[in-house]
Amino acid sequence: MVYVVHFFTSDETENVEIALESLTLNVSQLSDIKLIRALKLFVGNDEHLPDSTYALPVIPQWKENVLPFMKKWALHIPKLNEIISFISKIEEGKYLGVSFNDSLNMFEKKKFLFEMKEREGGLPAKQQYEDFLRNNEKLFHIYQPYALSYKYRTRFGPNERGLRVCRYCGGKMPGTTFKNVSHTISNSLGNINFITNDECDNCNAHFGAGIEQEFLKYVSVYRSLAAKFEGHPYYTTKTEAFRLGVDEETNQISFSILDEKKLKIVSSENYVKYIVDGGYINYHNVYRALVKYVIGMLSDDQLPFFKKTISWVNGENNITQLPIVKQTIYNEPEPRPFMNMFFRKRPSDQYPYLVADFHVNHLEFIYVIPGCQQDKKEFQENILDDFLKLRNDHNQWYDLHMNCPQPMHMNLKATYYFRPKNEN
Ligand SMILES: [Zn+2]
């Protein structure tokens, strides 16, 4: 079992966690080990504090008693050093949030952070929460969000192997096996916390070598570039035409052309554009992989609506009209991939039943889960335009057409703009 203690500040992006994993101890036994009892004593003055989420004001005395105590433990659990340095950096007057194996959903988490901000001298939590709801009023009126944090270990499907029926192929033991850990989102993308129990070894191998490879190919360049940021592994993109990576010593991007015939340079007075051959990619399979990740997270009561979707993911049938996938690019990459899902609350022709919002590296994708029984008709290609209007973001969204079932040529472009010479 896994027991996670998560430390955070009122700023949603600042957080660190420690996960204790044991093959023999269950959760309540893990919550009773010495380190956890000591942490609970520190947080709530009670070593048997129930597993939940707490906030406490940062005080100078911590430096004298708490941090030295943690340093002693850090000799056995090096990961604690990260937590010590995280806590040491929080200013006095701020609050530290600590969650003991507790998983808050998006709304509970927001409420908790707003309360912390109020105690730090911010607006009343109630008012902050009302503002948050008002900003998202249109979206939440139509959709029920289901937000999964990458900070928490989530296992989908039954733990007991004997009870597992593969959600992709329908196989069960002894005809099929569930020996491997099946990562819901490809492990290569940095996912460690989302595990699908009921994805059989066959399907796992099949997806891993098939559609997931296609998605990895699609994000390959971003994976390479993300290495410029701390916490992202080095990864080299290599095709017949070029090699791209970040140099481990200088942390500079290194790019080399391996076959000049596959490079085209277009230059003008203001810019020079490099167009390099990225090989072939099957966008249909990229979409399939995106949907495979979502299917791996659905609950038992949702799965039956997606029979047609699952057989499409398996490549058994063809959904002929795939809506456009939306993509946006951020300057800073996410350390781990995560998924938000939006389930439509009432029947509607205007909005699809399930819309996924997937974050990986520098990228965010918004896409429809096609083939759902809750959607009565085929989607228009631009069905997501209305969905995006419900969101209160100012991102620039690009259209990805993934309708073609044949592999297509992928060109990668880089443009350098010159400063005009006669600039005043
Ligand atoms: Zn299977």
Side-chain angles (χ1 to χ4, degrees):
M1 293 308 283
V2 190
Y3 189 95
V4 181
V5 188
H6 181 215
F7 298 80
F8 54 97
T9 69
S10 60
D11 176 352
E12 217 169 344
T13 57
E14 293 175 353
N15 60 80
V16 58
E17 69 170 31
I18 180 161
L20 303 169
E21 207 160 357
S22 166
L23 292 172
T24 48
L25 302 179
N26 63 32
V27 169
S28 68
Q29 285 165 325
L30 277 170
S31 102
D32 201 37
I33 66 170
K34 228 170 154 190
L35 169 68
I36 301 298
R37 289 212 314 261
L39 284 173
K40 286 184 169 177
L41 195 63
F42 151 61
V43 168
N45 231 344
D46 173 4
E47 60 177 37
H48 299 294
L49 208 62
D51 286 347
S52 182
T53 304
Y54 303 91
L56 58 164
V58 175
I59 51 168
Q61 284 88 318
W62 284 8
K63 292 205 168 66
E64 286 148 41
N65 36 51
V66 183
L67 298 179
F69 142 78
M70 279 199 184
K71 275 181 195 146
K72 238 189 268 167
W73 275 93
L75 297 173
H76 310 286
I77 308 174
K79 174 86 191 180
L80 271 176
N81 285 314
E82 214 179 299
I83 287 160
I84 294 166
S85 106
F86 178 78
I87 296 178
S88 324
K89 279 185 207 144
I90 310 174
E91 290 164 40
E92 241 179 273
K94 292 273 178 191
Y95 273 70
L96 169 70
V98 186
S99 134
F100 291 98
N101 216 38
D102 189 19
S103 176
L104 304 178
N105 69 32
M106 185 165 102
F107 295 95
E108 293 162 336
K109 186 74 193 281
K110 285 277 177 205
K111 276 187 186 161
F112 198 89
L113 294 172
F114 293 153
E115 276 164 24
M116 283 170 76
K117 280 186 187 149
E118 179 181 347
R119 289 192 222 172
E120 290 169 354
L123 292 172
K126 205 172 159 237
Q127 189 182 331
Q128 293 181 63
Y129 191 66
E130 278 164 11
D131 289 346
F132 161 73
L133 289 182
R134 193 164 334 107
N135 283 335
N136 292 285
E137 196 179 2
K138 283 190 243 156
L139 180 63
F140 295 157
H141 178 67
I142 302 196
Y143 281 100
Q144 178 67 47
Y146 178 57
L148 285 162
S149 161
Y150 58 74
K151 289 153 209 149
Y152 306 110
R153 169 66 62 95
T154 313
R155 287 181 165 274
F156 305 93
N159 280 320
E160 185 77 46
R161 280 193 173 77
L163 296 176
R164 295 178 189 177
V165 178
C166 177
R167 59 177 68 204
Y168 298 100
C169 72
K172 53 188 165 189
M173 295 201 308
T176 192
T177 54
F178 295 92
K179 285 185 187 139
N180 300 325
V181 173
S182 295
H183 290 87
T184 314
I185 296 166
S186 313
N187 187 219
S188 319
L189 295 172
N191 168 41
I192 47 168
N193 271 348
F194 301 130
I195 308 291
T196 303
N197 285 332
D198 49 358
E199 176 180 333
C200 76
D201 295 338
N202 267 342
C203 287
N204 187 234
H206 179 71
F207 291 136
I211 55 177
E212 290 185 35
Q213 284 306 318
E214 217 61 16
F215 185 73
L216 292 175
K217 200 193 279 181
Y218 182 78
V219 295
S220 174
V221 166
Y222 298 95
R223 276 177 80 192
S224 293
L225 297 176
K228 269 186 86 69
F229 294 82
E230 218 172 270
H232 290 262
Y234 291 97
Y235 173 76
T236 307
T237 301
K238 192 168 174 276
T239 70
E240 283 174 18
F242 71 95
R243 186 208 315 262
L244 171 76
V246 170
D247 187 284
E248 293 194 32
E249 272 164 31
T250 61
N251 208 39
Q252 295 299 310
I253 293 167
S254 82
F255 177 71
S256 46
I257 294 291
L258 304 176
D259 181 351
E260 295 203 357
K261 289 196 287 290
K262 294 185 170 171
L263 171 75
K264 210 170 120 192
I265 300 175
V266 183
S267 58
S268 83
E269 215 174 304
N270 301 327
Y271 66 82
V272 57
K273 193 187 268 179
Y274 297 88
I275 304 166
V276 64
D277 184 341
Y280 281 92
I281 189 163
N282 185 322
Y283 286 104
H284 215 84
N285 285 345
V286 173
Y287 200 155
R288 279 191 168 106
L290 282 166
V291 172
K292 182 261 163 186
Y293 298 152
V294 173
I295 296 294
M297 298 185 162
L298 293 177
S299 59
D300 279 356
D301 53 331
Q302 292 291 346
L303 272 171
F305 300 146
F306 295 92
K307 288 205 175 98
K308 191 176 163 196
T309 315
I310 292 169
S311 67
W312 171 71
V313 167
N314 287 335
E316 291 154 9
N317 68 14
N318 209 354
I319 296 178
T320 46
Q321 207 177 338
L322 289 174
I324 287 166
V325 171
K326 301 284 181 179
Q327 174 189 298
T328 192
I329 304 171
Y330 294 98
N331 291 332
E332 281 212 28
E334 284 291 342
R336 307 234 169 252
F338 65 95
M339 185 81 72
N340 296 317
M341 296 184 231
F342 296 89
F343 293 90
R344 196 183 61 212
K345 291 176 176 172
R346 284 170 286 273
S348 156
D349 284 340
Q350 191 186 358
Y351 299 103
Y353 177 73
L354 177 54
V355 178
D357 171 24
F358 179 50
H359 295 248
V360 59
N361 280 332
H362 296 77
L363 303 173
E364 178 182 359
F365 298 92
I366 292 191
Y367 52 101
V368 171
I369 307 307
C372 175
Q373 204 189 78
Q374 299 292 86
D375 290 313
K376 294 291 176 267
K377 56 173 196 179
E378 289 244 34
F379 297 118
Q380 296 292 312
E381 220 191 12
N382 58 357
I383 181 101
L384 278 176
D385 289 349
D386 283 340
F387 178 86
L388 283 182
K389 283 183 201 141
L390 299 172
R391 283 168 54 111
N392 232 333
D393 70 51
H394 304 285
N395 297 333
Q396 186 176 2
W397 292 97
Y398 299 95
D399 286 353
L400 304 178
H401 297 264
M402 298 199 168
N403 218 358
C404 178
Q406 267 77 46
M408 283 170 76
H409 214 73
M410 177 167 65
N411 280 324
L412 300 160
K413 299 181 194 103
T415 311
Y416 294 96
Y417 290 94
F418 308 127
R419 194 188 290 261
K421 269 185 189 154
N422 54 356
E423 198 179 52
N424 292 315

